[in-house]
Each structure stands twice: as C-alpha cells, then as structure tokens.
Amino acid sequence: MEFKNLINGEWKPSSNGKYSENRNPASWNEDLIGKFPLSTEEDVNEAVKAARQAYKKWRLIPAPKRGDVLKEVGDIMFARKDEIAFEMTREMGKVFAETKGDTQEGIDTAYYAASEGRRLFGMNAPSELANKMNLSFRIPIGVAGIITPWNFPMAIPTWKIFPALVCGNTVVFKPAEITPKTANTLVQIIDEAMKKVLGKEYIPGVINLVHGKGSVVGEALLASKEVDLISFTGSTLVGRRINEVGGRELKRVSLELGGKNAQIVMPDANMDLALDAVLWGAFGTTGQRCTATSRLILHNDIHDKFVEKLVERVKKLKLGYGNDKGVDVGPCVSEAQRNTVDEYVQIGLKEDKAKMLTGGKFAKEGNLAKGWFYEPTIFVDVKPNHRIAKEEIFGPVLSVLKCSDLDNAIEILNDTEYGLSSSIFTNNVNDAFKAVRDIQAGITYINGATIGAEAHMPFGGVKATGNGHREGGWTVYEFYSEWKAVYIDYSGKLQRAQIDNY
Ligand code: NAD
C-alpha cells in the first residue's frame, strides 16, 4: 500500500512520486508494511505555506475549543489503542505491552492538553501608576516544525503536536523514516477530530504531515523562513546541527537528545526490586529508550551476588516478535542499529579489563534469524573512562561499574556528557536526599527504574541531553507560547511612565 502526505487538508503523494519501504524489523523480508513518500523541499514548502495560511484562522479559535479537538483526539486514540499498538510493534519492534504504553502516553497527553485549553493562564500585576491596569497573556508563535525519532513513535509526537495546537500554533510534522505508519495514524486521527469538532469551521492546513529523510525534509523545515519554531527529539549530533541553524535564523528551538542513564544500587537497598528495575530499564524496548539504563553502578559489597542473579535473569529473557505472547525483548529497530550495537560490543571486548558475561552476538535461532535481534549483553568491570561507559549505545547492552560509597557512586553517575534520567536504590533516607540534590540529570528516580514518564510532569535532561526546555506537563506550554504585556490606562490623561515621573 502506498501512503501519502497530508498537506492543506489533502492526502497527496510527494511531488517526485518516490517512496521508501517500511518493513517489520522482526521479519524483514516477509513483512512489508507499506510504502511512504520520500518527500522533497517543494513538498515541505507547500506544507509550510498551508500552515502559515491556516494559522491566521486557527489562532482565533478559542483555546478551550482547541482543547475540545484534543479531547476528541484522545477519545479516538483510546478506542483504537490495541490496533495502534499492534501496528506500532509491527513497524518498530518493541513488545505489544510497551507499544500499548506508548499509545496510552499519547492518550494521557491528549486529555492533559484538552484541560490546558481551559487554563493557559496569564498573569497580572499591580501598575506603578494610578488608574492603570497591567495584564499579560500567552500568545501563539506561528508555524511549528516538529521532528521526531522512531523509538516512541506515538508518545513523542503527541508531546509536541498537542501543546503546539492548543497554544494556537499550526504544525508541519516530519516523523522518523523508520516509523511513518504510526505518524500517519496520529495525523489522520487529529484531522478526523478537527473535522468532527469544528464542523463547518474546519481549517485545512492546521496539521500537515510530510514524510521523508531528515537530510531533505528535516533540513527544508530548518531552512524555511516561515517556520517559527522547531521542536526536535533525536540524537545529539543532529540536535547540534538544528541548534546551529535555528540560532542563526532566530528560530525558537527545543532539543531532547541522547542519554547515558545509570542506576545506582546501595547495600541497604531492596535487591529484588533493584534487580527487576535494571532488567526493565536496560532491556525494555530492547534498550532503545532515551531513558534506558545503560550503566549499572553497584556498591562493592553487593556487586558479585547482584551480578550473578542479574545474569541468571537476563539469560531467561525471551526474544521474539513483540506481537507474540510471552516475548520480553523485540528486535533492534533496523539492521544499521543492530550493527551499531555489535560495534560497541566489539569495542567493549577490547576495553582494558572489561569482561562480557552474557550475550554479545546476533540472535539467530529459528524465527529470530528473520529479524534484527541481538542477545541481551552484560559487561562487568567497566571503568568510567571506557567508551561503553560514556557513549550512548541505544541497544540491549548494560555496562556494570563498581563504587565504594555514595559520593563515589554519584561521581561515576555524573561522569558523562549527558544528563537525562537516573536512579538510586537505597533505603537510607539521607542518601536518597543527597542523591536528589547531587545527581546531574533532568529526572531522578528513588527506588524506581530510569525509564518511564508521566504526561503531566516535566520531561527532559541537562548537559548535552538538551537545551534547557522540557516536554510534558505545564512546562512545555511555555515553549509553544510567547508572553504579551498589555497596559490599560483609564486615567483619562497621559500619565507617561513611572520612570518619567519620579
Ligand atoms: P536521529 O537524530 O537520527 O533522527 C531524529 C529525527 O531527526 C528523524 O526524524 C530524522 O529523520 C531527523 N533528522 C536527521 N537528520 C536531520 C537533519 N540534518 N535535519 C533535520 N532533521 C534531521 O535520531 P533517531 O535515531 O531517530 O533516535 C535516536 C536518538 O534519539 C537517540 O540518541 C535517543 O537518545 C534520542 N532520543 C531522545 C529522547 C529525549 O527525550 N531526550 C527521546 C527519544 C529519543
């Protein structure tokens, strides 16, 4: 089946008629999902023009009504949750329970956005002068360019598109090439909800979808003078490029980038809980979460026993197609991603004294040979300066490091250019609070895995993980709106300003 772009309310092929194939990473040669447009700069410019035109009307729709559209979006997503999740597993590999979670995050974000349409609070303050009132309002910004990765193909686009729309902006959405189908479904749902809620007031071009490559479609969005803001989630490498161009063009830019997240386990912790958490954090989504537990920092006193149990559990993880029952870990998203994982394993094997205890190869038994499966892998005796302790791998590989006390554990945890998520397992309340204070990360869990986010809480990281903005919660509404100050003088005379009267 050939899928299309949505531009100005119309589903249409790319202007060059070219397509790329979308295939199931668990069954590459046997399961072709569809063909998606390899769009051009011309397509992007047409979508941006439509969004610019639609902005004139959309910004005037009352915010609570814009919120009603998001409520409808949430309802449709809820009704189609299982089907969306099934297709998402088919196109990117993570197991059905996780793609259901990804979809639920989108539903929660829709309902939160709907309620925000009734808030979008402004602020006011007393005037310096008599008979004068000061107000301040949030106003929309214009056309939002949204560029997203493949690992949360529903949740991440909803984190960006829903607040952008509620704030009164219009959108041109460029999803990851690897997960175009989920993006297609999301945009189709938004368009359906717009038609249902707005009726005759329906405005074509409020949401536009342009499929294709980052180097073409992404770059064209960046280059367009008519795109006012860019929200990007993806690699730090591409994020730096977006920040450079965005900075030059004075676009507002939000960046959510890589991570090298760690879980600390102290000797007083509940070991079973810590074990469950690291299994989930390191190997859930095949380690392909920005918040995945990539480093495990174990106190010397518990190290050997913990590692023994961990290896035992990891060996029992069942690999397979994520829509099959009983499967714990799906494939890597692509052949290239699996090769990257293997390259890092080879690097790990050469690191001074690091030892691989399990995994370390392509998984090819039976049906696994049909997809991009990699055995869950554990390295121990990893040192903070090893590349497998420093660089984001984005796959099922866990590096275990030793620590001597809390300060040492936090020092190791912070010894990375990234700062997204973090976790500590301890039953010592003083250590827990010190960790909250001293860990350099946008997210810290006490006695929880590094992965997981709540739709109404700020999500994002420090250092090279981003540029200071946050997705989720109330914070993201700051990114998609600007402040306007309004002064109302009802004195009947020219009061001038306080500075001119003092
Ligand atoms: P990526 O950077 O390769 O691609 C992300 C998106 O950017 C894709 O849509 C891609 O087509 C587009 N793109 C690529 N080159 C571009 C360019 N020159 N101009 C404009 N757009 C361009 O990342 P990925 O492989 O899709 O995703 C994995 C990365 O995303 C990991 O580093 C992961 O940590 C990160 N990530 C971060 C978060 C977070 O919230 N911090 C969440 C999920 C993923």
Side-chain angles (χ1 to χ4, degrees):
M1 173 165 180
E2 285 171 359
F3 287 79
K4 297 190 167 98
N5 292 325
L6 180 68
I7 298 177
N8 204 22
E10 195 188 326
W11 292 94
K12 53 199 291 191
S14 64
S15 51
N16 61 8
K18 289 194 180 154
Y19 291 91
S20 68
E21 288 182 350
N22 181 20
R23 290 181 172 273
N24 180 343
S27 190
W28 191 253
N29 289 322
E30 291 176 10
D31 191 10
L32 172 66
I33 295 164
K35 293 181 171 187
F36 286 81
L38 270 176
S39 311
T40 62
E41 186 180 351
E42 199 182 326
D43 298 320
V44 173
N45 291 341
E46 194 188 339
V48 170
K49 198 171 156 205
R52 175 63 56 201
Q53 197 62 23
Y55 175 64
K56 291 181 189 162
K57 289 187 181 162
W58 179 246
R59 72 182 189 88
L60 300 178
I61 301 279
K65 187 146 194 184
R66 298 195 296 250
D68 289 348
V69 173
L70 273 305
K71 159 80 171 54
E72 182 63 28
V73 168
D75 289 349
I76 302 173
M77 285 174 72
F78 182 73
R80 293 180 58 180
K81 183 172 164 182
D82 281 8
E83 167 225 325
I84 293 170
F86 183 92
E87 287 300 310
M88 197 193 304
T89 293
R90 204 176 146 214
E91 89 171 335
M92 61 74 68
K94 65 186 175 189
V95 299
F96 184 61
E98 292 182 29
T99 49
K100 264 173 59 172
D102 193 326
T103 310
Q104 186 59 44
E105 180 76 16
I107 295 166
D108 293 342
T109 301
Y111 291 148
Y112 185 85
S115 70
E116 201 58 37
R118 293 195 173 270
R119 272 189 301 266
L120 286 185
F121 292 138
M123 285 206 267
N124 52 39
S127 171
E128 294 164 345
L129 300 173
N131 298 319
K132 191 178 168 199
M133 184 184 286
N134 297 351
L135 306 172
S136 69
F137 298 93
R138 284 163 193 275
I139 53 171
I141 299 172
V143 176
I146 305 288
I147 305 175
T148 55
W150 46 264
N151 63 338
F152 278 85
M154 182 58 85
I156 292 176
T158 67
W159 283 356
K160 298 174 187 301
I161 294 171
F162 294 175
L165 292 176
V166 167
C167 286
N169 307 286
T170 54
V171 168
V172 180
F173 173 30
K174 182 248 166 293
E177 303 89 303
I178 298 181
T179 49
K181 176 128 195 241
T182 306
N184 227 75
T185 304
L186 171 63
V187 169
Q188 181 256 316
I189 289 173
I190 296 171
D191 195 50
E192 182 186 332
M194 290 258 177
K195 285 183 173 134
K196 184 160 176 207
V197 173
L198 297 178
K200 286 195 185 116
E201 281 184 293
Y202 171 77
I203 307 161
V206 173
I207 173 84
N208 302 274
L209 170 69
V210 185
H211 290 290
K213 289 191 172 168
S215 54
V216 179
V217 176
E219 286 286 338
L221 268 178
L222 265 185
S224 172
K225 304 259 182 235
E226 294 291 323
V227 173
D228 304 286
L229 60 95
I230 298 276
S231 178
F232 171 83
T233 299
S235 59
T236 298
L237 187 75
V238 177
R240 284 188 203 280
R241 154 103 191 130
I242 288 178
N243 216 23
E244 273 166 26
V245 180
R248 205 164 52 231
E249 298 295 328
L250 296 180
K251 289 188 200 303
R252 184 180 282 215
V253 172
S254 169
L255 302 170
E256 295 295 340
L257 310 175
K260 189 71 187 174
N261 317 290
Q263 173 180 318
I264 296 172
V265 185
M266 298 301 286
D268 52 63
N270 177 333
M271 294 300 152
D272 291 336
L273 198 62
L275 199 58
D276 284 346
V278 70
L279 270 174
W280 170 230
F283 302 109
T285 317
T286 322
Q288 302 171 124
R289 291 193 186 211
C290 49
T291 52
T293 311
S294 184
R295 297 175 297 152
L296 175 65
I297 303 169
L298 295 176
H299 192 280
N300 284 325
D301 294 353
I302 49 123
H303 178 275
D304 294 356
K305 202 146 193 224
F306 196 96
V307 166
E308 192 186 316
K309 282 191 181 169
L310 179 61
V311 172
E312 214 175 280
R313 292 276 299 274
V314 168
K315 283 183 173 166
K316 287 189 188 139
L317 290 173
K318 185 165 184 251
L319 272 60
Y321 176 35
N323 278 326
D324 289 343
K325 287 227 159 57
V327 169
D328 300 305
V329 181
C332 297
V333 76
S334 64
E335 186 177 19
Q337 194 67 28
R338 183 171 72 164
N339 289 342
T340 303
V341 170
D342 194 52
E343 276 161 28
Y344 271 105
V345 167
Q346 302 315 317
I347 289 167
L349 288 169
K350 290 191 200 105
E351 307 266 31
D352 181 33
K353 295 199 175 79
K355 272 202 306 271
M356 192 177 72
L357 296 186
T358 187
K361 54 182 189 306
F362 295 176
K364 288 186 162 172
E365 256 175 57
N367 279 340
L368 298 183
K370 293 181 183 174
W372 312 127
F373 292 93
Y374 201 89
E375 288 188 357
T377 303
I378 297 178
F379 280 95
V380 291
D381 294 335
V382 178
K383 302 286 175 298
N385 65 337
H386 289 171
R387 281 184 65 189
I388 55 169
K390 285 197 159 321
E391 297 172 25
E392 185 180 49
I393 300 174
F394 229 56
V397 180
L398 178 70
S399 298
V400 184
L401 298 96
K402 284 182 185 156
C403 67
S404 50
D405 57 23
L406 180 72
D407 287 343
N408 182 225
I410 294 176
E411 193 185 341
I412 295 170
L413 186 146
N414 288 342
D415 189 9
T416 160
E417 65 168 319
Y418 300 111
L420 183 52
S421 188
S422 57
S423 144
I424 179 166
F425 279 78
T426 177
N427 281 327
N428 179 325
V429 71
N430 294 340
D431 282 359
F433 276 99
K434 278 184 199 149
V436 166
R437 184 192 62 195
D438 295 337
I439 284 176
Q440 295 163 357
I443 302 166
T444 295
Y445 286 89
I446 307 296
N447 296 326
T450 57
I451 64 179
E454 297 190 21
H456 58 289
M457 288 289 285
F459 181 93
V462 302
K463 302 198 282 189
T465 293
N467 64 341
H469 293 291
R470 291 291 180 269
E471 309 260 61
W474 60 96
T475 41
V476 74
Y477 291 83
E478 287 289 339
F479 178 73
Y480 290 103
S481 58
E482 298 193 285
W483 285 98
K484 176 173 214 164
V486 177
Y487 300 99
I488 304 160
D489 192 316
Y490 51 95
S491 66
K493 55 188 182 199
L494 184 64
Q495 299 204 79
R496 301 197 180 168
Q498 183 227 30
I499 51 170
D500 301 314
N501 295 319
Y502 257 41

